[in-house]
Amino acid sequence: MIIRIFCILWSENPDKKINTAKVVCFQLLVICLRKNIALVAHDNKKADLVEWCDFNKGTLSCYNLYATGGTGKRILAKTGLEIRLLKSGPQGGDMEIGALIANEGLDYLIFFWDPLTSLPHDVDVKALLRVAVLYNVPTACNRATADLIISSPLFQSQDYKRKNEVSGN
């Protein structure tokens, strides 16, 4: 993605105007370069994900966060993080996250799913995991993997670009 930011520099009172323009450009650039993370958890794993988010809220606050309904509300209540709430998983939230991935609008998927509980929307869960693998989105399905992803130097690197086999990027 190429980001172009144009700043208008005025000639009257140049020092003040130039400094203001630089600050505005910098703020726009930071907003545009923030990566997107989806947070999802099945009922038996919600407490674990909320605890993980609370522990990592300093780091997570620097990213655009998306979460399925129930999970997002619990994370928001505990951490105060700014989260874009989607529908709950069974009501289409998993598919909304899948659409974000397919449209290359998601950089990381943190999905604490419960392998011991069968759910009516298991097909949606499998489809979400399939599209995450297809688009090569780093995905954590448990706390250990989430810890490894968030602590990786690549996690915060603006230079890291994952290879996308589908689009060839």
Side-chain angles (χ1 to χ4, degrees):
M1 171 191 290
I2 297 173
I3 299 171
R4 292 191 179 119
I5 298 175
F6 297 96
C7 300
I8 299 171
L9 305 178
W10 294 270
S11 59
E12 58 187 72
N13 195 359
D15 293 345
K16 184 177 179 184
K17 298 286 184 176
I18 290 172
N19 290 338
T20 303
K22 286 180 183 176
V23 170
V24 170
C25 289
F26 175 74
Q27 289 173 346
L28 287 172
L29 186 60
V30 169
I31 290 169
C32 292
L33 293 178
R34 288 177 69 166
K35 293 184 179 178
N36 302 305
I37 303 171
L39 304 165
V40 185
H42 286 160
D43 288 344
N44 292 343
K45 301 293 182 176
K46 286 189 192 318
D48 196 25
L49 182 59
V50 169
E51 183 182 303
W52 182 83
C53 288
D54 191 41
F55 181 80
N56 291 292
K57 68 183 167 190
T59 302
L60 292 172
S61 67
C62 297
Y63 295 85
N64 297 318
L65 304 176
Y66 296 85
T68 50
T71 302
K73 288 175 187 171
R74 288 180 65 173
I75 293 169
L76 180 62
K78 175 73 175 181
T79 67
L81 287 166
E82 185 177 325
I83 301 172
R84 289 178 182 92
L85 295 176
L86 305 173
K87 295 178 180 178
S88 72
Q91 295 175 346
D94 295 337
M95 291 190 298
E96 286 181 296
I97 291 175
L100 281 170
I101 293 170
N103 290 304
E104 299 184 27
L106 198 64
D107 299 293
Y108 300 98
L109 173 61
I110 309 298
F111 185 3
F112 289 11
W113 61 281
D114 185 357
L116 300 177
T117 304
S118 150
L119 300 167
H121 69 291
D122 272 344
V123 173
D124 297 338
V125 172
K126 188 174 181 180
L128 175 56
L129 292 172
R130 181 183 301 116
V131 78
V133 170
L134 179 66
Y135 283 87
N136 201 29
V137 172
T139 302
C141 293
N142 56 42
R143 189 174 187 139
T145 310
D147 288 340
L148 289 170
I149 288 175
I150 201 168
S151 64
S152 168
L154 297 175
F155 184 76
Q156 295 186 26
S157 171
Q158 291 298 331
D159 296 329
Y160 173 70
K161 304 292 182 217
R162 63 185 161 80
K163 183 161 175 69
N164 183 338
E165 299 293 334
V166 176
S167 68
N169 296 330

